[in-house]
Amino acid sequence: MLTAIEIENFKAFGDRQRIELAPLTLLFGPNSGGKSSIIHALHYAREIMLGRGCDVHRTESGADLVDLGGFVNFFHQGSDSTRQGGVLRLLFEMNDSSGAGEILEAWSNHGMDVESELTSDPLNVEGLRDLGLSQKAIDILESKKITFGIDIKRAVDENVGASLQEAAPYISGYYIACDGEAVAIRECSEITHTLSVRSDFFERSDLPASVSDDGQWITFRESRIRMFSDRTRLPLHWDKEIIDPSHLWDILDGDALVLDDEKELALRMTLSHWLTRLFIGPGAILAKTLESFRYIGPLRSIPPRTNSGTSPVGPSQWPSGLAAWKCLVDDYDPQRGDPNLIEPVSQALFDREKLDTGYRLQLAEHVTVESGKFLEILRKVRMMDSDEDFDERIDLPSSKQLVLTDDRGQDHLPHDVGVGLSQVIPVLVACLDWGPMISIEQPELHLHPKQQAALGDFLIQAIRPTVTTQLAEGELEEFIDADHWSRQEHRNVIIETHSAHMILRILRRIRETSTQDYAPKDCALRAQDLSVLYVQPNPNTGASEVKRMLVDVHGEFVDPWPDSFFDQDSEERFN
């Protein structure tokens, strides 16, 4: 799970801003204040991490709703800043809730090419010690928190006056930290690049000329490095070692080791594997998280009346909400006997303790008969034996259609009911259909205030959809215990909203959870698992700034709200 993002020189943000994330993160602030820039940074990072370059226009996860317009457009204050050597920087902090096992796997799950006692275990600790690596270097493979940062700049040579088209952006460096300490850096210029690791990772002082040590970093120069042929893409695969093993022996204390050829090669491979894991593993974890990132835009589309839902669902269909409708149709299979999304969505819509819309969601199957074939089908039916299966004997084309059934039993297509229903159903599906990260803009759109408040409960449930089946009555005290909570699987749910009703319900659930007063077991929430961020432009610079509005265990804001958001009602009543 992501615990923080840092953004510098991207869209509304100039100086570096830290965005503290929790399982549930709410973005508030005035219109055009910079809230969407946070979400757009996730889209941009996803394109980079999936190897689609740095000069991004239309994003896959944002589809038609997120066209960044290219590097010169989304770099803060435009082309002038890029010509002055400005750097766009994105940093991502990831913690152990995705599993220490996943972090460990990303660093270790790389098959060894040499079979010997030194390489039979990908995490051969004794082999790493024999190589002269310190305990500190070995311990990073069990880090609980990882930071992965990316720097992007434009390749501009002022002496030749490169045009905007010629000045392509590239990755000028990336940065890896473990448990808050920097451990590895890759730096690129337009003509060369280097890799650096901490000096205290190696327990020796004499190094060859092509490896420098400034007391803090050991730097491998370009002659020793392979793999970075494309400077617009990150190395995130294990197809090659980051440093050729044949180039590593002279940084080891080879004179102190008397080995045969096989063991010498094994030692080289072990160190090469370790360096490769160090530089590639954290980026691979981030890429995996962002690849599954789902975004629901502020204006969701109503599916066509003839929608069958049989086409594949891709990331570009989520922003409009159409992917959600397709998931509902494709996920429904009564013969399979597996759980499907229709029932929980229908319950959320109809239940009086939830959205209470008065509608249930159902899947209707329609059979299409051409007018000229009706009599032929009728004759076949008359000739059938009573024990014959109609569906097997008479093959008729059919289609599936989602319908909303009111409390009188009347079926309605999504086009024929209030817009609020078509807007909230994609939100419900995205929350129920498990993934590591979702972001939704204005989920409360077109909903009644009571339903906006109820949506707050649903967002709480969405951060850990598996936990409601794990809790029995009377287990709330254990559930809010820190140790128990930390064992639960979480994801990032990032919401951009203007709804006071929704945040007030969420704050109420924090208060009820802390006092164990009333909160339903599936709506329990601790204060530290909510991040409320207020984003607004600085009146002097125009660049957006982010302030975290801390919440105490009583569900109250620690500091005053920056504007009259919660005071608007009284102002209208008494002024």
Side-chain angles (χ1 to χ4, degrees):
M1 189 188 79
L2 293 183
T3 55
I5 308 170
E6 293 187 12
I7 303 174
E8 182 177 342
N9 282 328
F10 179 79
K11 298 198 73 173
F13 299 107
D15 294 338
R16 186 183 301 191
Q17 295 293 308
R18 182 173 175 85
I19 294 97
E20 299 277 356
L21 301 179
L24 179 57
T25 301
L26 304 180
L27 305 179
F28 284 87
N31 293 327
S32 298
K35 300 184 299 298
S36 294
S37 292
I38 296 174
I39 298 172
H40 290 182
L42 293 170
H43 291 294
Y44 181 49
R46 184 180 186 275
E47 295 294 309
I48 293 175
M49 300 307 293
L50 296 184
R52 299 190 178 122
C54 305
D55 194 23
V56 176
H57 289 255
R58 184 181 183 274
T59 62
E60 181 186 42
S61 53
D64 294 334
L65 295 183
V66 182
D67 186 340
L68 298 176
F71 189 76
V72 172
N73 184 68
F74 59 72
F75 193 95
H76 183 67
Q77 295 184 345
S79 60
D80 289 341
S81 297
T82 65
R83 283 191 175 276
Q84 294 168 9
V87 175
L88 187 156
R89 180 167 290 133
L90 300 172
L91 278 83
F92 297 87
E93 284 187 6
M94 300 165 280
N95 75 356
D96 192 38
S97 72
S98 59
E102 182 176 340
I103 292 175
L104 203 59
E105 180 184 1
W107 260 322
S108 65
N109 191 18
H110 180 43
M112 292 295 177
D113 298 326
V114 178
E115 292 295 334
S116 75
E117 69 251 32
L118 292 178
T119 58
S120 59
D121 179 3
L123 288 177
N124 182 2
V125 173
E126 291 305 317
L128 292 174
R129 288 197 181 100
D130 289 342
L131 291 167
L133 264 66
S134 66
Q135 186 61 44
K136 191 177 189 69
I138 295 169
D139 288 344
I140 66 164
L141 299 180
E142 298 182 0
S143 301
K144 303 301 182 184
K145 182 174 69 174
I146 295 177
T147 300
F148 187 84
I150 316 167
D151 287 353
I152 304 103
K153 65 187 299 185
R154 227 178 64 187
V156 176
D157 186 345
E158 295 291 351
N159 296 323
V160 298
S163 68
L164 295 182
Q165 289 73 24
E166 294 167 339
Y170 68 98
I171 297 170
S172 61
Y174 66 80
Y175 160 98
I176 297 164
C178 297
D179 292 334
E181 289 189 279
V183 298
I185 299 173
R186 171 203 171 190
E187 294 178 301
C188 285
S189 70
E190 296 173 37
I191 58 174
T192 187
H193 62 263
T194 61
L195 297 177
S196 300
V197 295
R198 292 174 62 101
S199 295
D200 56 6
F201 282 180
F202 292 87
E203 294 180 339
R204 62 165 295 179
S205 58
D206 54 321
L207 292 167
S210 59
V211 180
S212 62
D213 184 359
D214 64 3
Q216 183 178 5
W217 297 98
I218 292 178
T219 299
F220 298 89
R221 297 192 179 95
E222 189 166 17
S223 61
R224 291 175 175 264
I225 303 168
R226 65 183 183 187
M227 232 169 62
F228 299 134
S229 56
D230 187 346
R231 300 177 196 276
T232 68
R233 290 173 172 80
L234 290 166
L236 298 176
H237 303 288
W238 303 99
D239 54 343
K240 292 182 181 179
E241 301 302 330
I242 205 165
I243 297 179
D244 193 315
S246 64
H247 293 164
L248 288 172
W249 188 244
D250 56 356
I251 76 165
L252 305 175
D253 195 3
D255 295 338
L257 298 171
V258 179
L259 302 172
D260 57 34
D261 291 343
E262 180 185 358
K263 289 186 177 181
E264 178 182 326
L265 177 59
L267 278 172
R268 293 182 185 183
M269 293 299 297
T270 300
L271 180 57
S272 183
H273 289 325
W274 177 84
L275 285 166
T276 301
R277 296 178 200 126
L278 178 63
F279 277 94
I280 293 180
I285 298 170
L286 179 60
K288 181 179 178 181
T289 298
L290 292 177
E291 184 176 16
S292 302
F293 172 53
R294 289 179 180 169
Y295 164 71
I296 305 289
L299 294 173
R300 278 78 78 179
S301 300
I302 303 175
R305 291 179 181 272
T306 57
N307 175 50
S308 64
T310 56
S311 59
V313 175
S316 61
Q317 294 174 306
W318 281 101
S320 67
L322 290 178
W325 299 93
K326 292 178 179 293
C327 284
L328 287 168
V329 173
D330 293 339
D331 195 52
Y332 182 75
D333 188 351
Q335 300 300 322
R336 192 175 60 203
D338 293 342
N340 61 79
L341 293 171
I342 291 181
E343 179 56 35
V345 171
S346 180
Q347 184 180 7
L349 291 173
F350 189 79
D351 195 321
R352 292 189 180 277
E353 298 299 321
K354 297 183 178 181
L355 293 180
D356 191 21
T357 66
Y359 289 91
R360 299 181 186 274
L361 185 68
Q362 300 187 68
L363 189 67
E365 188 167 1
H366 303 279
V367 174
T368 304
V369 179
E370 296 179 16
S371 58
K373 295 184 178 181
F374 182 77
L375 292 177
E376 178 184 350
I377 293 172
L378 187 59
R379 284 195 296 270
K380 289 182 178 181
V381 172
R382 288 177 176 175
M383 296 172 62
M384 287 174 59
D385 295 332
S386 58
D387 58 348
E388 285 189 84
D389 191 314
F390 180 86
D391 292 335
E392 293 181 1
R393 178 67 184 271
I394 301 177
D395 184 21
L396 297 176
S398 63
S399 61
K400 299 174 182 177
Q401 180 67 60
L402 288 165
V403 296
L404 292 157
T405 304
D406 62 28
D407 48 14
R408 299 186 304 276
Q410 298 293 317
D411 291 343
H412 307 269
L413 294 179
H415 277 272
D416 302 324
V417 297
V419 175
L421 284 173
S422 66
Q423 297 298 293
V424 77
I425 285 175
V427 174
L428 301 178
V429 173
C431 290
L432 286 165
D433 196 18
W434 178 255
M437 178 183 292
I438 60 171
S439 177
I440 306 173
E441 291 196 66
Q442 299 181 41
E444 73 276 9
L445 201 65
H446 295 296
L447 289 181
H448 185 278
K450 177 184 176 182
Q451 293 167 338
Q452 292 182 33
L455 196 58
D457 282 343
F458 204 81
L459 294 176
I460 294 172
Q461 297 165 20
I463 66 175
R464 51 181 198 284
T466 60
V467 81
T468 55
T469 61
Q470 298 170 355
L471 289 177
E473 293 297 331
E475 288 186 336
L476 181 59
E477 182 175 359
E478 180 187 1
F479 178 67
I480 63 176
D481 175 74
D483 291 336
H484 182 82
W485 184 276
S486 65
R487 294 193 296 271
Q488 302 300 331
E489 186 176 16
H490 289 75
R491 64 171 166 180
N492 290 112
V493 177
I494 303 171
I495 305 297
E496 185 273 311
T497 180
H498 295 285
S499 175
H501 306 286
M502 191 164 66
I503 181 61
L504 289 173
R505 172 62 63 86
I506 292 170
L507 296 175
R508 169 186 164 188
R509 294 310 189 201
I510 291 174
R511 180 174 67 254
E512 293 171 344
T513 300
S514 66
T515 59
Q516 301 179 41
D517 183 21
Y518 166 76
K521 61 183 181 180
D522 56 353
C523 295
L525 186 68
R526 302 182 311 170
Q528 58 264 47
D529 293 290
L530 172 69
S531 178
V532 180
L533 304 174
Y534 193 86
V535 189
Q536 64 179 349
N538 182 300
N540 297 319
T541 66
S544 293
E545 297 177 342
V546 180
K547 179 180 180 180
R548 183 170 185 179
M549 305 301 298
L550 296 177
V551 175
D552 63 22
V553 295
H554 305 293
E556 299 288 343
F557 287 111
V558 174
D559 298 316
W561 195 260
D563 62 16
S564 58
F565 185 81
F566 290 103
D567 301 325
Q568 196 64 42
D569 180 72
S570 59
E571 286 187 13
E572 297 299 327
R573 286 173 178 267
F574 304 114
N575 288 350

